[in-house]
Amino acid sequence: MEKFRANPKAFAGANGTDSVQAPETSGGTIYTCPMHPEIRQPQPGSCPKCGMTLEPVMPTLDEGEDPELADFKRRFWWTLPLTVVVTLLAMVGHRLFPHGLPYQSWIELALAAPVVLWAGWPFFVRGVQSVVHRSPNMWTLIGLGTGAAFAYSLVATLAPEAFPPSFVAMGRVAVYYEAAAVIISLTLLGQVLELKARSQTSAAIKSLLGLAPKTARRIRPDGGEEDVPLTHVHVGDTLRVRPGEKVPVDGVVLEGSSSVDESMLTGEPIPVSKRPGDKLIGATMNAIGALTMRADKVGSATVLSQIVQMVAQAQRSRAPMQRMADVVAGYFVVAVVGIAFFTLFGWGFFGPEPRWVHGLINAVSVLIIACPCALGLATPMSIMVATGRGATNGVLFRDAAAIERMRQIDTLIVDKTGTLTEGRPVFDRVVAATGQTESEILRLAASLDQGSEHPLAAAIVEAARAKGLALDKPENFESGTGIGVRGTVAGQVLALGNTALMEQLGISVDALKAQAETLRTAGASVMHLAIDNVLAGLLAVSDPVKASTAEALATLRKAGLRVVMATGDGVTTAKAVGIALGIDEVHGEVKPADKLALVERLQKEGRVVAMAGDGINDAPALARADVGVAMGTGTDVAMNSAQVTLVKGDLRGIATARALSVATVANMKQNLGFAFVYNALGIPLAAGLLYPLTGWLLSPMIAALAMSLSSASVVFNALRLRHAKLVG
């Protein structure tokens, strides 16, 4: 497994030692807003734009309870008894005291003041900040609503003579301390529920962080062994992994054999056999055998650390669908305040007695029920849960746009080597031209290929070394991406590649054309070796098709996707593999520019194209495709060019990614639809538009309950994605 897209510095610890749980900066944890990820600050607080509680960009395992949650819970429980008493007194006081309770307004003031002025103080602070920052939000409405109800009641208590007789009931001017107190208590309750629910959206990252072991067993140069903290493991250390233990870091098996369960990172349930020379991924579980390994990647360089960083980055990105919600929310609060004023004066001038009392209460109800928080949370919560769900299934999304776009894919272009096939080719045979020997052809080809990172080159080099052939160092090495390599070995000018390279150099391949076609028909990849511009022989390498490929392609076709194969291999080889896998459209001997042109042609035909590949030669097409899908077993360049990475390099992950995309977008639409419908129905009801027909008026307390539950319901609906059924 090669390096994923991540910033290694993001995991640098304060002491210079890398750690998967290290903060983003040396200064500590960075906090951001789920609705406005551009807001970043080094301490907890609230968002200056929306007033929402900030949360860590990168959750950690050792963090305690959210301080904001703890504060709101304390304020809620300490003042709840006061809210209950003042509400009972206001609602049933006239029954308990038929002739009136002396100083009742003053008693209600004493009970409600701590609730409004202490428990609700954070809400008023956020409301003021929203005005200062010229970013009206839900706290603007709550501050106006509760402030108006409390201020009106306070004036009615201190100067009742200032009110007309129509405001007097039961011997006193009607007050609404209970409405202000209940609104504050219900808002606190809603925030507690929302914060608890939001904490669950980071469960996926925390579960990934929890995979890493705390210690590693290091073998000292003298042969002794010691358990050391994971942060003390360095590249090159020799480690022992005993049966039942987790692999501490990424590395290579030196001794021993075992089966390793990689399902926690790849989603693949079948354990993978490991022998000397095989790669190990940190945090995977060793089964029954003991292994000795060399540490190759530690700290921020490990696959686990970079997966965590990718998931965190994707969770904080903004979905295109959010733009609509942002535009609407930008004007929403101003419109609501306007509606509240129209409600106040409409009832005040034209409503039944007591007109202005009705106007005040209905205006407060409008302000309270029209909370834009549900609208703002609709897409970020879905994205956070979806990216975490994808990571636990071996699918990593670069950003929210990739999640939203993936469901629209109708055409998939796939590379062959490393995508449809294992990507670990095995050398087959050599065919020497007249006057050449097979061993010399293999030796020269392997000498030249020492400078290449292509899997086919690795197979040739390994075969030559297995035969004990002495390899020379290549000079003037050049790689023609997707077609072959050139260079000088022992004074001879060599060219090794497909027929496209030979044609480019003007070298005839007719002498061995029949043999090459026979090998290609059998599914082998054939490379031509030319010495001093003369064809000297052929080398055939076989790359077995992945066991999961046929199932993955069947699933994708069932989902309605058109599958196209484009490979740098010969046309005959490509067609042989295509026939075996049921792929109708096959393009062979294509260069990187040809793959790019294929993507562009299909897009011009109106197709929404995904490109799946793992090599440098796939990078241009991956970047141009509507969605680029990189195999996690491929190169850094490929993964840096793609929007989706499949950790296991298994095409079944594309079906999983597409199903998750469909479920996520549906979830976002549900959330947005709920928020719009909620406000479309709630605001007219709160304004009293149904009163002439039904006689219904909405109490501010009921409006507060509805407002609190609306935000929590959006978060809980997003959490359903954790259990959505995915194919693949």
Side-chain angles (χ1 to χ4, degrees):
M1 179 81 57
E2 299 298 328
K3 186 170 67 177
F4 285 85
R5 293 182 303 272
N7 176 12
K9 294 181 180 179
F11 293 90
N15 61 356
T17 304
D18 290 337
S19 170
V20 72
Q21 297 183 36
E24 279 203 343
T25 69
S26 58
T29 303
I30 298 298
Y31 292 83
T32 187
C33 173
M35 289 169 55
H36 301 92
E38 68 274 13
I39 301 298
R40 301 168 74 88
Q41 64 183 45
Q43 69 278 338
S46 57
C47 176
K49 289 188 175 182
C50 66
M52 182 173 289
T53 302
L54 302 181
E55 54 190 35
V57 170
M58 182 66 65
T60 59
L61 289 175
D62 55 358
E63 62 184 11
E65 185 179 34
D66 181 354
E68 194 83 20
L69 175 59
D71 180 51
F72 281 173
K73 285 168 63 176
R74 181 175 64 254
R75 292 174 188 267
F76 173 74
W77 288 113
W78 283 14
T79 59
L80 181 61
L82 300 178
T83 299
V84 172
V85 174
V86 73
T87 303
L88 290 175
L89 189 60
M91 295 300 180
V92 300
H94 62 284
R95 295 182 181 177
L96 298 176
F97 307 98
H99 302 292
L101 176 65
Y103 306 108
Q104 181 172 339
S105 295
W106 288 94
I107 295 173
E108 291 183 17
L109 171 60
L111 292 169
V115 181
V116 176
L117 300 180
W118 177 73
W121 182 251
F123 305 157
F124 291 109
V125 171
R126 295 179 184 185
V128 172
Q129 289 176 342
S130 71
V131 176
V132 172
H133 294 290
R134 297 181 181 179
S135 180
N137 51 51
M138 66 172 287
W139 305 111
T140 314
L141 303 180
I142 292 173
L144 284 173
T146 55
F150 187 80
Y152 160 82
S153 301
L154 183 62
V155 173
T157 303
L158 298 176
E161 66 280 357
F163 291 84
S166 61
F167 280 62
V168 178
M170 299 294 294
R172 66 189 181 110
V173 176
V175 293
Y176 295 93
Y177 291 118
E178 82 286 356
V182 169
I183 290 170
I184 293 296
S185 291
L186 287 175
T187 303
L188 281 170
L189 176 61
Q191 286 297 293
V192 168
L193 293 175
E194 180 187 316
L195 288 170
K196 282 187 174 181
R198 279 169 52 190
S199 68
Q200 298 179 47
T201 60
S202 61
I205 289 184
K206 290 183 178 181
S207 66
L208 289 172
L209 292 171
L211 294 176
K214 303 300 182 186
T215 62
R217 191 162 188 82
R218 183 165 57 193
I219 301 176
R220 298 192 299 267
D222 61 5
E225 299 182 5
E226 59 181 346
D227 289 326
V228 297
L230 199 62
T231 53
H232 292 181
V233 176
H234 304 286
V235 173
D237 283 352
T238 301
L239 309 174
R240 188 178 305 283
V241 186
R242 292 167 292 191
E245 290 184 338
K246 288 184 177 180
V247 177
V249 295
D250 297 1
V252 175
V253 177
L254 298 177
E255 297 178 5
S257 62
S258 183
S259 293
V260 176
D261 180 3
E262 299 180 343
S263 61
M264 63 282 293
L265 292 179
T266 66
E268 176 59 54
I270 301 176
V272 181
S273 177
K274 299 292 182 181
R275 292 179 174 78
D278 289 341
K279 293 183 178 181
L280 293 171
I281 304 174
T284 55
M285 181 66 72
N286 185 28
I288 56 175
L291 298 172
T292 301
M293 65 174 290
R294 182 185 68 244
D296 286 348
K297 294 180 180 180
V298 302
S300 64
T302 64
V303 169
L304 177 62
S305 292
Q306 298 189 28
I307 287 176
V308 169
Q309 180 67 7
M310 278 190 69
V311 174
Q313 175 183 323
Q315 287 189 340
R316 303 303 173 189
S317 61
R318 297 171 72 81
M321 193 178 293
Q322 179 68 21
R323 296 170 188 163
M324 175 185 66
D326 289 344
V327 172
V328 173
Y331 298 98
F332 183 77
V333 176
V334 176
V336 168
V337 173
I339 293 172
F341 275 107
F342 276 114
T343 301
L344 172 63
F345 290 108
W347 277 89
F349 288 118
F350 307 107
E353 292 292 349
R355 294 178 298 173
W356 289 101
V357 173
H358 282 144
L360 175 65
I361 297 305
N362 290 333
V364 170
S365 295
V366 169
L367 291 171
I368 298 303
I369 201 170
C371 171
C373 190
L375 186 63
L377 285 172
T379 64
M381 293 298 102
S382 298
I383 292 299
M384 291 186 70
V385 178
T387 50
R389 176 72 190 279
T392 58
N393 283 271
V395 178
L396 304 179
F397 292 96
R398 173 184 284 185
D399 51 32
I403 298 178
E404 193 169 326
R405 189 65 166 160
M406 190 70 194
R407 81 191 197 286
Q408 299 173 331
I409 296 301
D410 57 26
T411 302
L412 173 65
I413 301 175
V414 291
D415 179 42
K416 182 180 78 69
T417 305
T419 302
L420 298 176
T421 63
E422 293 287 353
R424 294 191 294 270
V426 178
F427 177 75
D428 190 348
R429 69 187 67 181
V430 174
V431 177
T434 304
Q436 301 289 342
T437 64
E438 293 183 357
S439 59
E440 181 64 7
I441 296 299
L442 178 59
R443 189 187 74 83
L444 290 175
S447 297
L448 180 61
D449 263 341
Q450 289 179 101
S452 174
E453 296 181 353
H454 197 282
L456 299 180
I460 292 174
V461 173
E462 184 179 346
R465 288 174 175 166
K467 292 180 179 293
L469 301 178
L471 305 184
D472 295 320
K473 183 179 180 180
E475 299 177 351
N476 304 319
F477 180 83
E478 296 180 12
S479 176
T481 306
I483 58 175
V485 294
R486 290 185 290 175
T488 301
V489 174
Q492 301 180 90
V493 178
L494 305 182
L496 178 65
N498 57 21
T499 54
L501 177 62
M502 298 297 109
E503 291 174 359
Q504 186 181 99
L505 299 176
I507 300 172
S508 174
V509 297
D510 293 341
L512 299 176
K513 188 173 183 178
Q515 294 94 320
E517 285 300 302
T518 300
L519 292 169
R520 292 190 186 108
T521 303
S525 298
V526 176
M527 287 158 284
H528 303 79
L529 177 67
I531 303 176
D532 296 327
N533 289 327
V534 177
L535 182 66
L538 306 175
L539 296 98
V541 176
S542 298
D543 187 9
V545 174
K546 293 178 182 177
S548 61
T549 296
E551 177 189 344
L553 292 177
T555 302
L556 292 170
R557 281 192 290 264
K558 185 178 179 181
L561 268 68
R562 171 186 174 188
V563 181
V564 180
M565 183 171 73
T567 176
D569 263 348
V571 175
T572 304
T573 302
K575 287 184 176 179
V577 174
I579 291 172
L581 294 174
I583 301 176
D584 297 326
E585 186 174 346
V586 174
H587 301 269
E589 295 189 358
V590 294
K591 303 174 184 177
D594 298 327
K595 292 184 179 181
L596 177 61
L598 177 60
V599 171
E600 292 175 339
R601 176 175 66 79
L602 290 170
Q603 288 174 330
K604 289 179 181 178
E605 294 175 1
R607 314 289 294 190
V608 183
V609 182
M611 170 70 196
D614 72 331
I616 295 175
N617 59 318
D618 299 317
L622 287 169
R624 182 66 180 84
D626 295 285
V627 178
V629 182
M631 301 294 111
T633 50
T635 64
D636 293 349
V637 175
M639 286 181 278
N640 287 332
S641 302
Q643 290 80 47
V644 179
T645 297
L646 308 182
V647 177
K648 184 63 176 177
D650 188 336
L651 279 179
R652 287 178 295 184
I654 295 180
T656 299
R658 195 165 183 270
L660 183 58
S661 172
V662 171
T664 303
V665 172
N667 191 271
M668 289 192 292
K669 288 181 177 178
Q670 291 166 5
N671 286 344
L672 286 171
F674 173 78
F676 281 122
V677 170
Y678 164 80
N679 285 295
L681 296 178
I683 293 176
L685 182 61
L689 294 184
L690 298 181
Y691 181 79
L693 300 176
T694 64
W696 293 350
L697 288 177
L698 186 66
S699 166
M701 294 180 286
I702 301 300
L705 178 61
M707 178 272 295
S708 298
L709 294 180
S710 67
S711 299
S713 64
V714 164
V715 180
F716 283 117
N717 186 54
L719 290 173
R720 292 193 306 111
L721 284 172
R722 296 192 300 178
H723 308 291
K725 183 178 180 181
L726 303 179
V727 297

